[in-house]
PDB file of all heavy atoms in Angstrom:
ATOM      1  N   PHE A 157      -4.170  -7.620  26.110  1.00 87.00           N
ATOM      2  CA  PHE A 157      -3.451  -7.274  24.894  1.00 87.00           C
ATOM      3  C   PHE A 157      -2.119  -8.002  24.973  1.00 87.00           C
ATOM      4  O   PHE A 157      -1.272  -7.662  25.791  1.00 87.00           O
ATOM      5  CB  PHE A 157      -3.230  -5.761  24.783  1.00 87.00           C
ATOM      6  CG  PHE A 157      -2.660  -5.345  23.456  1.00 87.00           C
ATOM      7  CD1 PHE A 157      -3.489  -4.849  22.461  1.00 87.00           C
ATOM      8  CD2 PHE A 157      -1.303  -5.442  23.197  1.00 87.00           C
ATOM      9  CE1 PHE A 157      -2.983  -4.454  21.230  1.00 87.00           C
ATOM     10  CE2 PHE A 157      -0.787  -5.064  21.970  1.00 87.00           C
ATOM     11  CZ  PHE A 157      -1.629  -4.567  20.990  1.00 87.00           C
ATOM     12  N   LYS A 158      -1.978  -9.016  24.151  1.00 91.00           N
ATOM     13  CA  LYS A 158      -0.788  -9.854  24.209  1.00 91.00           C
ATOM     14  C   LYS A 158      -0.150  -9.883  22.826  1.00 91.00           C
ATOM     15  O   LYS A 158      -0.837 -10.068  21.815  1.00 91.00           O
ATOM     16  CB  LYS A 158      -1.192 -11.266  24.635  1.00 91.00           C
ATOM     17  CG  LYS A 158      -0.075 -12.267  24.693  1.00 91.00           C
ATOM     18  CD  LYS A 158      -0.637 -13.617  25.113  1.00 91.00           C
ATOM     19  CE  LYS A 158       0.305 -14.724  24.716  1.00 91.00           C
ATOM     20  NZ  LYS A 158      -0.283 -16.037  24.886  1.00 91.00           N
ATOM     21  N   THR A 159       1.164  -9.688  22.766  1.00 94.00           N
ATOM     22  CA  THR A 159       1.900  -9.745  21.510  1.00 94.00           C
ATOM     23  C   THR A 159       2.908 -10.875  21.573  1.00 94.00           C
ATOM     24  O   THR A 159       3.636 -11.005  22.559  1.00 94.00           O
ATOM     25  CB  THR A 159       2.672  -8.431  21.267  1.00 94.00           C
ATOM     26  OG1 THR A 159       1.760  -7.343  21.329  1.00 94.00           O
ATOM     27  CG2 THR A 159       3.357  -8.441  19.918  1.00 94.00           C
ATOM     28  N   THR A 160       2.946 -11.687  20.519  1.00 95.00           N
ATOM     29  CA  THR A 160       3.922 -12.770  20.437  1.00 95.00           C
ATOM     30  C   THR A 160       4.557 -12.734  19.057  1.00 95.00           C
ATOM     31  O   THR A 160       3.865 -12.599  18.052  1.00 95.00           O
ATOM     32  CB  THR A 160       3.248 -14.137  20.662  1.00 95.00           C
ATOM     33  OG1 THR A 160       2.465 -14.081  21.869  1.00 95.00           O
ATOM     34  CG2 THR A 160       4.281 -15.239  20.796  1.00 95.00           C
ATOM     35  N   ALA A 161       5.887 -12.859  19.021  1.00 97.00           N
ATOM     36  CA  ALA A 161       6.623 -12.861  17.754  1.00 97.00           C
ATOM     37  C   ALA A 161       6.997 -14.298  17.393  1.00 97.00           C
ATOM     38  O   ALA A 161       7.412 -15.077  18.254  1.00 97.00           O
ATOM     39  CB  ALA A 161       7.873 -12.010  17.876  1.00 97.00           C
ATOM     40  N   TYR A 162       6.845 -14.623  16.119  1.00 97.00           N
ATOM     41  CA  TYR A 162       7.182 -15.949  15.596  1.00 97.00           C
ATOM     42  C   TYR A 162       8.033 -15.798  14.340  1.00 97.00           C
ATOM     43  O   TYR A 162       8.089 -14.721  13.751  1.00 97.00           O
ATOM     44  CB  TYR A 162       5.906 -16.721  15.221  1.00 97.00           C
ATOM     45  CG  TYR A 162       4.981 -17.008  16.377  1.00 97.00           C
ATOM     46  CD1 TYR A 162       3.931 -16.157  16.673  1.00 97.00           C
ATOM     47  CD2 TYR A 162       5.157 -18.147  17.169  1.00 97.00           C
ATOM     48  CE1 TYR A 162       3.068 -16.419  17.729  1.00 97.00           C
ATOM     49  CE2 TYR A 162       4.298 -18.418  18.221  1.00 97.00           C
ATOM     50  CZ  TYR A 162       3.258 -17.549  18.496  1.00 97.00           C
ATOM     51  OH  TYR A 162       2.417 -17.814  19.536  1.00 97.00           O
ATOM     52  N   THR A 163       8.645 -16.902  13.932  1.00 96.00           N
ATOM     53  CA  THR A 163       9.325 -16.955  12.640  1.00 96.00           C
ATOM     54  C   THR A 163       8.558 -17.929  11.755  1.00 96.00           C
ATOM     55  O   THR A 163       7.654 -18.629  12.222  1.00 96.00           O
ATOM     56  CB  THR A 163      10.783 -17.427  12.770  1.00 96.00           C
ATOM     57  OG1 THR A 163      10.781 -18.829  13.075  1.00 96.00           O
ATOM     58  CG2 THR A 163      11.535 -16.644  13.837  1.00 96.00           C
ATOM     59  N   PHE A 164       8.955 -18.013  10.504  1.00 96.00           N
ATOM     60  CA  PHE A 164       8.327 -18.964   9.593  1.00 96.00           C
ATOM     61  C   PHE A 164       8.689 -20.410   9.940  1.00 96.00           C
ATOM     62  O   PHE A 164       8.179 -21.333   9.343  1.00 96.00           O
ATOM     63  CB  PHE A 164       8.726 -18.664   8.144  1.00 96.00           C
ATOM     64  CG  PHE A 164       7.938 -17.548   7.499  1.00 96.00           C
ATOM     65  CD1 PHE A 164       7.333 -16.548   8.243  1.00 96.00           C
ATOM     66  CD2 PHE A 164       7.813 -17.503   6.130  1.00 96.00           C
ATOM     67  CE1 PHE A 164       6.619 -15.522   7.639  1.00 96.00           C
ATOM     68  CE2 PHE A 164       7.101 -16.485   5.508  1.00 96.00           C
ATOM     69  CZ  PHE A 164       6.508 -15.498   6.263  1.00 96.00           C
ATOM     70  N   GLN A 165       9.570 -20.599  10.917  1.00 96.00           N
ATOM     71  CA  GLN A 165       9.953 -21.940  11.361  1.00 96.00           C
ATOM     72  C   GLN A 165       9.091 -22.422  12.525  1.00 96.00           C
ATOM     73  O   GLN A 165       9.209 -23.564  12.956  1.00 96.00           O
ATOM     74  CB  GLN A 165      11.430 -21.969  11.773  1.00 96.00           C
ATOM     75  CG  GLN A 165      12.389 -21.519  10.680  1.00 96.00           C
ATOM     76  CD  GLN A 165      12.186 -22.287   9.380  1.00 96.00           C
ATOM     77  OE1 GLN A 165      12.169 -23.511   9.380  1.00 96.00           O
ATOM     78  NE2 GLN A 165      12.014 -21.576   8.280  1.00 96.00           N
ATOM     79  N   ASP A 166       8.242 -21.554  13.033  1.00 96.00           N
ATOM     80  CA  ASP A 166       7.399 -21.889  14.186  1.00 96.00           C
ATOM     81  C   ASP A 166       6.021 -22.355  13.753  1.00 96.00           C
ATOM     82  O   ASP A 166       5.504 -21.928  12.727  1.00 96.00           O
ATOM     83  CB  ASP A 166       7.224 -20.661  15.094  1.00 96.00           C
ATOM     84  CG  ASP A 166       8.526 -20.179  15.690  1.00 96.00           C
ATOM     85  OD1 ASP A 166       9.328 -21.030  16.126  1.00 96.00           O
ATOM     86  OD2 ASP A 166       8.742 -18.950  15.716  1.00 96.00           O
ATOM     87  N   GLU A 167       5.418 -23.187  14.579  1.00 96.00           N
ATOM     88  CA  GLU A 167       4.010 -23.524  14.427  1.00 96.00           C
ATOM     89  C   GLU A 167       3.253 -22.518  15.291  1.00 96.00           C
ATOM     90  O   GLU A 167       3.538 -22.383  16.478  1.00 96.00           O
ATOM     91  CB  GLU A 167       3.765 -24.956  14.906  1.00 96.00           C
ATOM     92  CG  GLU A 167       2.352 -25.418  14.687  1.00 96.00           C
ATOM     93  CD  GLU A 167       2.156 -26.843  15.137  1.00 96.00           C
ATOM     94  OE1 GLU A 167       2.075 -27.069  16.365  1.00 96.00           O
ATOM     95  OE2 GLU A 167       2.079 -27.720  14.268  1.00 96.00           O
ATOM     96  N   ILE A 168       2.306 -21.817  14.688  1.00 97.00           N
ATOM     97  CA  ILE A 168       1.655 -20.701  15.368  1.00 97.00           C
ATOM     98  C   ILE A 168       0.226 -21.087  15.763  1.00 97.00           C
ATOM     99  O   ILE A 168      -0.577 -21.473  14.924  1.00 97.00           O
ATOM    100  CB  ILE A 168       1.634 -19.457  14.468  1.00 97.00           C
ATOM    101  CG1 ILE A 168       3.065 -19.116  14.014  1.00 97.00           C
ATOM    102  CG2 ILE A 168       0.997 -18.275  15.206  1.00 97.00           C
ATOM    103  CD1 ILE A 168       3.130 -18.073  12.923  1.00 97.00           C
TER     104      ILE A 168
END
Side-chain angles (χ1 to χ4, degrees):
F157 188 99
K158 178 181 160 190
T159 305
T160 309
Y162 297 94
T163 72
F164 279 25
Q165 303 307 308
D166 297 317
E167 184 179 76
I168 305 169

